[in-house]
Amino acid sequence: MAAAGVCLLAASMDASKADREHFLRTTAKLRWALIAIPLCIGAQLIPIGLAMAHPIWTTTYDALQGIPFGYVTADFSRTLGAFFLALASVALLGVTIVLGRDRRRAEVILFVLCGLTTLVAMLKIIDYRLHGESIGPDSWDFATSLSGLGVALNLAVIQLAAERAETRHAIIRSVAVGLLGLAGLLINGAVVMADSNANGTVACALGIALFLLILAIRRLDLSMLATTAIAVAAAVGAALVLTWIFEKGSGSPLLRLLPIQPDETRAVLDRLIADTRWFGAGAGAFQSIGRIYQPGDATGPLAAPSAAIALFVGTGWIGLALAVAIALSLLTRLVSGALRRGRDSFFPAAAAACLSFGIVQGFAGPGLLRTGAIICLAVIVGLGLSQSVSQAAR
């Protein structure tokens, strides 16, 4: 968070008029999406009357006879941390938009992201070879989430190398970059395939399909009508696949993409989801609320089984609907930007693939709750948005 603040301060002090115009043009009609989540979380920290506050504050007031005010959140400190994390993510997204305006810097950011995700995947493979099945599921979920992002990023690197080779620009270097991208693709893909949750693999496959679809449309130079028809058909196909997966499960829609849960845990989650109010119990407060619903003989705190459930319990139906609307708005902008761009379309295409993976993976596991995954996804989306606008438009 401190690094995000320093980067934002440095970028704002050194930003030129062209940088500011690029930022405004890139975020046109999307600025609401950048501030909606921080505002939603910040509203949970405002003192309100006990009638609208979380019931835990009514109990606290009755016990301590304190000031008759409370908060939407049941855990002020954890929600405050979530608020600063949201601000840091938005700040890094904005900084990436400014830095990614230059193609050379955009390529550097892409290479760094590929290197980080591939490094995490390699470490996970080594850890698995040394410790086998003793690796905790949380560690696998985080590695799978980063590796799913790494698959799309390495596809972008391969496409970058291919376009350089087509223009006969530094062919040897282009071949080397392409081989590195292929190696990163295989390493990250191996981690995704090794995860026990098959729905993570489906999420990664949907991201790959979206990237390849954008590449095919751009290569074939189709008309607007043909492009629209293909996009609609692809959306319908993805919806059918997800509907089929959802129908295989039972219970709440938020639980249907999860791996099989123990009966005791599923019962606790069902009660927790059923009791969640419109405004939630506070962002980041899942474990605090989960203790109330756990049986007395529970051995440890209840961990959120997926990012979607944590978001729903924390911010309620309003927060979950807002997050889905923001994700779909960003995805639409990235896809349309990738289809409009020329040789640099792989930047927004990779960001769109990562975001589509993140949307599905958010319902399948808790990996995207980790700070590293959130920051990485924010930088990827910022890079895609920055390169979705042609510099010739200036």
Side-chain angles (χ1 to χ4, degrees):
M1 298 178 191
V6 171
C7 290
L8 181 61
L9 179 62
S12 61
M13 294 178 62
D14 194 43
S16 63
K17 181 180 179 181
D19 291 330
R20 291 191 293 270
E21 291 177 351
H22 176 72
F23 179 83
L24 294 176
R25 188 168 65 252
T26 300
T27 58
K29 299 181 181 180
L30 276 180
R31 297 186 194 104
W32 68 272
L34 302 182
I35 63 174
I37 291 296
L39 286 179
C40 180
I41 298 176
Q44 295 182 325
L45 301 171
I46 300 175
I48 56 177
L50 291 177
M52 298 180 61
H54 192 275
I56 195 173
W57 297 108
T58 303
T59 305
T60 303
Y61 172 74
D62 293 339
L64 302 178
Q65 292 298 312
I67 301 176
F69 290 100
Y71 308 94
V72 174
T73 175
D75 193 325
F76 187 90
S77 61
R78 290 183 180 272
T79 302
L80 184 63
F83 175 68
F84 283 116
L85 178 59
L87 288 180
S89 301
V90 173
L92 282 178
L93 189 150
V95 170
T96 308
I97 289 176
V98 175
L99 292 178
R101 185 172 73 91
D102 181 76
R103 191 177 192 273
R104 293 180 180 272
R105 288 184 296 190
E107 290 181 2
V108 171
I109 295 173
L110 177 62
F111 291 150
V112 170
L113 290 171
C114 286
L116 288 175
T117 54
T118 303
L119 178 61
V120 172
M122 290 179 62
L123 293 176
K124 181 52 57 182
I125 292 174
I126 295 173
D127 194 20
Y128 179 77
R129 296 289 295 178
L130 293 176
H131 301 95
E133 299 296 336
S134 63
I135 302 175
D138 291 342
S139 179
W140 264 119
D141 288 327
F142 176 62
T144 301
S145 297
L146 281 188
S147 295
L149 301 177
V151 167
L153 293 172
N154 281 282
L155 283 173
V157 169
I158 295 173
Q159 178 61 19
L160 182 152
E163 292 188 358
R164 280 183 174 179
E166 286 179 356
T167 58
R168 299 184 181 278
H169 176 70
I171 295 181
I172 297 179
R173 182 183 176 186
S174 299
V175 172
V177 170
L179 291 176
L180 289 175
L182 179 60
L185 175 65
L186 295 176
I187 293 172
N188 284 285
V191 173
V192 174
M193 294 295 292
D195 186 16
S196 59
N197 186 2
N199 293 328
T201 306
V202 174
C204 185
L206 290 176
I208 295 174
L210 179 59
F211 183 91
L212 296 179
L213 177 65
I214 294 173
L215 178 62
I217 292 175
R218 193 181 70 83
R219 287 286 183 178
L220 295 175
D221 194 19
L222 300 176
S223 64
M224 181 60 67
L225 181 60
T227 299
T228 303
I230 293 176
V232 171
V236 171
L240 290 176
V241 171
L242 293 177
T243 301
W244 176 71
I245 295 175
F246 269 96
E247 288 180 348
K248 290 174 60 178
S250 60
S252 171
L254 295 175
L255 299 174
R256 294 192 177 187
L257 290 186
L258 295 177
I260 299 175
Q261 302 286 321
D263 292 339
E264 297 80 4
T265 302
R266 192 176 183 88
V268 171
L269 292 174
D270 285 333
R271 294 198 304 271
L272 186 57
I273 292 173
D275 291 345
T276 298
R277 305 194 299 176
W278 280 97
F279 298 100
F286 183 89
Q287 288 190 355
S288 301
I289 296 300
R291 292 193 186 98
I292 301 175
Y293 291 83
Q294 284 183 281
D297 57 349
T299 58
L302 178 66
S306 72
I309 291 178
L311 181 64
F312 174 74
V313 172
T315 58
W317 285 109
I318 293 178
L320 181 62
L322 183 62
V324 172
I326 291 173
L328 293 179
S329 299
L330 291 173
L331 183 61
T332 302
R333 173 65 64 86
L334 290 169
V335 171
S336 61
L339 295 176
R340 289 195 306 267
R341 287 306 306 270
R343 67 191 186 101
D344 292 336
S345 62
F346 54 83
F347 286 110
C354 290
L355 189 56
S356 65
F357 165 78
I359 293 173
V360 181
Q361 180 65 15
F363 288 86
L368 291 178
L369 291 175
R370 301 284 287 271
T371 302
I374 295 173
I375 295 299
C376 187
L377 186 58
V379 173
I380 292 171
V381 173
L383 179 62
L385 289 175
S386 182
Q387 285 293 318
S388 65
V389 177
S390 175
Q391 296 304 303
R394 291 185 298 169

